[in-house]
Each structure stands twice: as structure tokens, then as C-alpha cells.
Amino acid sequence: MVVLEDDPLGQGGLSDFARRFRAGEISSEQATRAYLSRIELLDPRLGAFQHVAAEQALETARAIDALYSAGTDLGPLMGVPVAVKDLFVVKGMPTTAGTKMNIDDIAGPEGPLVKSLRQAGCVILGKTKTVEFALGITGVSSAQGTPINPWDAQTPRLPGGSSSGSGVAVAAALCAFAIGSDTGGSVRVPAAFNGIFGFKTTPGFFSTDGAFPLAPHLDTPGLLTRSARDAAIAVAALTGEMEARPLPVEALRLGVPQEYFFDNLDPVVEAQIRGAMEALSAAGSRLRPVSVPEASERERYFPAVLPACLVATLGRDRFLAGRDHMDPIVAKRATSGLDVTAADYLTLEAKRTKSRQSVSEKFVGFDGWVTPTTATPPPSVADLDDEQKALELALGMTRNTQPANYFACPAVSVPLPQKPGNLPIGLQIICPEGADLEALSIALAIEDVLGTSEAPDLTNFLS
């Protein structure tokens, strides 16, 4: 009989793990072995990891345990096993960015974010899968494989992308938390689809050095965690900032966009989002309408800018030489970047600059705006067999997330508690540019009111 190791974080999250680690109830090596065992049993079907660095992780864990025994305490993340999206360079591990092309010369050496994980005492278990070059929101990738959403063992469902492996790994408890990146929704959509918490940062909050760039001015590293509480602990440890605390729920001033974000919602999503907003209102939060017509501008901006930026990153010759070996959908999108002129690009950026300024003024009087993260629960993988439906789904998945990237705003996706038989749904909070810690404080307050999501039943995924 196959025995699945218990999740080392259990129900207590990072704070309880830190307590148990310091009380001698669990060691970093024990936690690392437990996660590696879970990966061995579950990942053959889930496919979250691109590379598992078992020996390297165990060696690090033993070193962390010895360091703590010698009297050195590195803080709340000491001994915590984590995973990193395969867009970031991790010394001693391959970096593919989800492609079969050679991109070793592009990402450079290990960057500050991964180094901060090491300095905090984290154990890096390995690299999680990404959609090729991070250019895709469904999570599907023929180049290196598609992770499977752990919430439905009978009907394979989309994990969301491009941080697909990170979302699946956290939801299935294959790591304590994971690093992802978000250029148009690539942290928040996997968070929503996998029933976990996603934190998309303001550009510059975390350095993008040491990561393969899709669109450097839009790329934002972020975290996928079990809860807002875990995200607040991790962010404080990685940045040296004060840990975010929940705002009093009765003090929350939340805007509800009147255009765009609530259009064409799946009935289940609409019902649960409305229910969540009613619960916040009943708890004392003030929800008022706000007009954000600029959100629709993302429809012209992203289809032109992202492909053009990717071609610029790869170089025209390398892209053309390797295009036939790419995921066909990614290749088709990227090819459109060859036709974007400098004038087109500059016009779009000028429009974006103007809209960022106007939108920043609309946050006056609000702590943040509340929207659904996605318009639907996670669709089935089979839904993408129809090319037209696949296109509609892909466009719909980024409808609510891309505006935050367009406006350079931080945003979070808070998982709504599961109702029996329902798939995961995320509640998005968008905050003013630079208000990253405030976004976490709002999320903590919402989590206190709504509760957290349960873990999926993984029994049928055991290999």
C-alpha cells in the first residue's frame, strides 16, 4: 500500500512550522524528505516539476539543521523547503524557461530573489514548470509538458499559467511555497485555479535579475502560498520589511469597478464573488462603485507588446531558427511580434503612461479594488481541443488580471473557501502602484472574514 507522507506544514502554515522547527519537533531534513517523498508519489501524474534537485536539497537541509544546532537562527523561513519557477536561475540546476531552445546566455547568473531565499535559510527542492517563455495563461505547454490541476482527478483541468508548476506544487503540498512571475496574470490565475494565494508585486518590488525576461518593464516576480498569512511571513523575511498585519475589516474601503471586470462571469463565479463581497460588507467593509474604463485598453496592448518583447529578447534570428520546435500556440503568438513596428510600440506605451496616471487618481478614497480573479473556474484541458474556444478561454483568463500589469499595480488573488463539489475561485484585490504591503494587509483582513480554502483530495493522483 502506498503511504503518502503528511504535509510538513500541515494546517499551521509557515508560523507553526517555525515554532516546531525551533522546538525540535521537526528538522529541515525531515521536512525536505517528506516533500521529496510526496513529489515522488504525486508528481508523475501532476507534472509540476521540471527538475527535482533531491540530493542538493537534502545536503542544504542538513547544513541548515547543523547551523541552527550551532546557534545561528536565520529567521522564520529557516529550514523551509520551497520551489522556484523554471524562469529563474538557480545555481546547480538547469534553466529552460519552458523551451527546448538554448537560452543559457539570456537569463544570466543567479539573481537577488533566489539569493534571498538562500539567505533566509530556505531549501530549494527544484524548478517548477512554466509555459514556454512565460507566454501563455492556460498552463498548457507541449514543449516541456503541462501540469495537471490537483482539484479534479477525473477530468484533467487547466492549472493556469504561466506559473503552472508553482501553482500545482503549492496546492498539492509538494513544497511550502513557490516563486512565480506575473506579466499579465501568471501568478494570480494559477493561484485562482488551484485554490491558493497569489501575490503579484509592483514592478521593482522584487528584482527580475537572474530571470528570463518576457517583457522586462512588465515582469513581476511573485509568491504562491497556502494563505495570505504565509505570504506576509515570506515577504517580510525576503525583503527585511515589517511583516504586513491585517487592516481592521471595518476600516476597509474597497472599490467595485463598474466596467469590464464583472462582464461575462460564469454563474458559479458570480455567485461566490457576490457572496464574498456581501460577507465583507456585513463585517463592516465599505464597498463603493468606481469607474475604470481604462481596463479595456489591455486588449490592444498585450497582444502586440508581449510578442514584440519576446522576439527582442530572443533575437530575430534565434527565434526564426527555433520557432518550429516551440509550442505551436506560443510560436503563433510570438510570430505576431515580428510585425509590430517601433511606432506601434511607442504609441501603445504612450497611451499606457497616460492611463496609469489617470488610474492612480481613481484610487483616492479606496484601499483597493475588488474583482473576480478569473471569469470561470478552471476549465478542462479538453476544452482547448476546439481552437476557437481555446482562444476565447485564453483571452478570458487574462481579462481581469492584465489590467493590474497595465497599470503597474500590485494585486493579490485570495482563494474563496470551497463549497462541496465546486472548483476553486479567486477573489482579486488590486491596489495603487507601490502599495504592495497594503495589498497583503487587505488580503489578511479578507482571509480573517472569509477563511481559507481546504486542500484538494490527492488520493486518486497517487502513482
Side-chain angles (χ1 to χ4, degrees), residues 99 101-103 106 132-133 135 212 306-339:
T99 188
M101 288 188 198
N102 186 335
I103 47 90
I106 296 177
E132 192 166 14
F133 299 128
L135 189 63
F212 180 91
L306 294 192
C309 286
L310 178 58
V311 172
T313 293
L314 292 172
R316 185 185 183 93
D317 291 344
R318 176 171 12 202
F319 169 66
L320 292 174
R323 179 171 55 178
D324 291 345
H325 302 289
M326 291 173 60
D327 178 276
I329 295 175
V330 174
K332 184 176 181 180
R333 288 188 65 192
T335 298
S336 68
L338 297 170
D339 298 324

Side-chain angles (χ1 to χ4, degrees), residues 228 246-252 254 275-287 414-417 427 441-453:
L247 288 173
V249 68
E250 64 275 9
L252 286 182
L254 299 173
M277 293 194 299
E278 289 169 5
L280 291 171
S281 293
S285 300
R286 289 168 288 172
L287 279 70
V414 180
L416 296 183
L427 180 75
S441 292
I442 295 169
L444 289 164
I446 291 173
E447 192 169 84
D448 285 345
V449 173
L450 301 181
T452 56
S453 177

Side-chain angles (χ1 to χ4, degrees), residues 107-127:
E110 189 173 279
L113 180 55
V114 172
K115 288 180 179 177
S116 71
L117 291 173
R118 297 190 190 281
Q119 291 162 359
C122 293
V123 176
I124 301 176
L125 296 167
K127 309 285 285 294

Side-chain angles (χ1 to χ4, degrees), residues 51 128 132 259 262 303 331 361:
H51 175 78
T128 49
E132 192 166 14
E259 302 91 0
F262 287 82
E361 296 167 359

